[in-house]
Amino acid sequence: MVAILSLMVVMGFMMLGEWVSTRSRAYVPSVFITALLFLVGFWTIVPKNIVPAASFGTAFIQITQAVLLVHMGTLMDLKLLLKQWRAVVIALSGVVGTVVLTMGIGRLLFDWHTIVASVPPLTGGLVAAFLMTAGLKAQHITALVAFPVAMFVMHSMLGYPLTAWMLKRESRRLLQVRHVDVTVATADSATSATVQTTAQLPVCPLPTVPAKVKSVQPQLRHWQLPAAYDTSAFMLFKVAAVTGLAEWTAQLAHGTVNQYIICLVFGVIAHQLGFLEDAVLEKAGVFHWLMYGLLAYIFANLNIVKISMLSGILIPIVTLIVLGVLGMWIASSLLARPLEFSREMAFASALTALFGFPADYIVTHEVTEIVGSTAEEKQYLLDQMLPKMLVGGFATVSVASVIIASIFLKIL
């Protein structure tokens, strides 16, 4: 009974956060509301062990942390990353700008451990927050565990509305460009229509395809099974196999390369080889369960935060967020013109480091729905902006944040 009630409370907090975010059109992040509910709950009647009591304990997290990173590798399309290389460069430059400014100016304002514990979630959202909290606990630095959680919760309050604002400005600019192009094309068509020709080329019929030629159906690769056997269990078996191979490789490396980076790399390789499907855990039907468990584990660290501690946490967190976002803006603005981006699109691409997928996907869709007045305009805006936002988020959250968090854990 205790386990069921605990699960009900935890998922209720998640549910209310999502409802508020939906109602506010994502301007109020769900993670902020959920974290606030956990915080108030821990201060009042919610037991401090409610998250492990809801089944999200140590064993669950040990599985979740590795398989989710393998799953993140299946979200990355290397061809798309290469095609949108400019967005990747700008997004990664934003991460560099964040680290430089927070580690430079921030070091003059706050102590070393506070900065090291807080900055990685600013460059990678949920993944980096989890890695830092787990690493701090492993090193028994419990006094700093609240900082990655607070950074993860607070930076989205600025990141979501700022990104939406940049995308709205970019959308209006794109629509103006499109309107000019359509006007010029219409004028050219009208001019050419007035030119009378005395001779016309004969109209030739298009060549027909012989009836015996049929479309070639894609063949199954030798490691894939027919659809009837490609079950959720089979998908999870493959993910577990890739994760096990990655962790075995990490053990052979004796910590030279962080195990989470190896899990991510193995996920990318298995996906590119066709062994793992796109978004494999979503297709297996377990992605959201694992993500909710990971979020709950992160928010469980708020049970050590007391009211008296808030001022000591919020001042450095807010200051570092401002410095980090300023670093993103400076770096992205410097590269915008050389890489043929508008400053708005460049800054929005860099801001994906604050949240990544699926928030970048959701915010972009919401902006196009608001700014676009026709279906054609909305699709045009999506085609122009969404690929840049997605690859920016993949490059920062899926790759850079894991690397930065693993480095920062070693310099604590």
Side-chain angles (χ1 to χ4, degrees), residues 49-368:
N49 66 338
I50 190 170
V51 171
S55 78
F56 304 124
T58 304
F60 177 89
I61 295 302
Q62 287 177 345
I63 296 173
T64 301
Q65 59 188 358
V67 299
L68 277 177
L69 282 164
V70 171
H71 168 81
M72 289 181 69
T74 68
L75 297 176
M76 298 175 62
D77 188 335
L78 294 184
K79 293 180 180 178
L80 182 60
L81 287 173
L82 292 174
K83 187 176 180 180
Q84 294 288 345
W85 66 270
R86 293 180 178 86
V88 173
V89 171
I90 288 176
L92 293 178
S93 72
V95 172
V96 173
T98 295
V99 173
V100 169
L101 218 59
T102 52
M103 298 291 286
I105 299 177
R107 184 67 183 88
L108 303 175
L109 304 174
F110 309 108
D111 66 271
W112 172 255
H113 288 91
T114 297
I115 295 173
V116 173
S118 304
V119 169
L122 186 57
T123 64
L126 175 62
V127 176
F130 167 74
L131 295 178
M132 291 306 298
T133 53
L136 290 168
K137 281 188 171 182
Q139 297 186 34
H140 306 289
I141 312 177
T142 56
L144 297 177
V145 168
F147 280 88
V149 185
M151 177 61 79
F152 167 63
V153 171
M154 292 299 297
H155 72 53
S156 57
M157 288 297 295
L158 177 62
Y160 285 6
L162 186 56
T163 304
W165 185 46
M166 288 295 108
L167 290 178
K168 286 179 182 178
R169 290 172 59 91
E170 174 67 3
S171 296
R172 296 188 184 100
R173 186 192 70 83
L174 289 171
L175 290 180
Q176 289 178 352
V177 172
R178 182 173 184 266
H179 178 70
V180 171
D181 291 343
V182 170
T183 302
V184 172
T186 303
D188 291 343
S189 299
T191 302
S192 62
T194 61
V195 179
Q196 301 296 325
T197 58
T198 57
Q200 294 183 351
L201 293 175
V203 178
C204 299
L206 294 174
T208 58
V209 180
K212 64 179 181 179
V213 178
K214 299 182 180 179
S215 60
V216 180
Q217 298 295 328
Q219 297 181 348
L220 291 174
R221 297 183 182 182
H222 64 275
W223 51 71
Q224 292 180 324
L225 298 178
Y229 298 94
D230 195 15
T231 62
S232 296
F234 179 55
M235 295 179 193
L236 290 173
F237 169 79
K238 291 192 292 183
V239 172
V242 173
T243 306
L245 182 61
E247 293 198 338
W248 177 69
T249 304
Q251 290 179 356
L252 292 180
H254 299 291
T256 305
V257 181
N258 187 276
Q259 69 180 87
Y260 301 120
I261 297 177
I262 296 178
C263 286
L264 177 66
V265 170
F266 273 51
V268 173
I269 294 173
H271 175 243
Q272 293 299 307
L273 293 176
F275 183 69
L276 294 180
E277 298 86 341
D278 296 337
V280 60
L281 292 182
E282 292 185 43
K283 292 184 178 178
V286 299
F287 173 74
H288 290 95
W289 178 252
L290 296 176
M291 285 296 293
Y292 285 135
L294 184 58
L295 279 170
Y297 171 81
I298 291 175
F299 292 140
N301 293 289
L302 294 172
N303 64 7
I304 66 171
V305 177
K306 298 178 174 60
I307 298 178
S308 58
M309 296 172 57
L310 284 182
S311 61
I313 293 176
L314 291 181
I315 292 175
I317 290 298
V318 171
T319 304
L320 290 173
I321 289 174
V322 172
L323 289 174
V325 172
L326 180 60
M328 289 182 185
W329 178 78
I330 293 173
S332 62
S333 296
L334 291 175
L335 290 179
R337 185 180 294 273
L339 295 181
E340 300 177 350
F341 270 49
S342 67
R343 287 190 176 183
E344 291 82 2
M345 191 68 247
F347 191 25
S349 299
L351 286 169
T352 57
L354 298 179
F355 38 79
F357 185 85
D360 49 9
Y361 179 88
I362 295 171
V363 172
T364 307
H365 269 268
E366 288 182 343
V367 168
T368 58

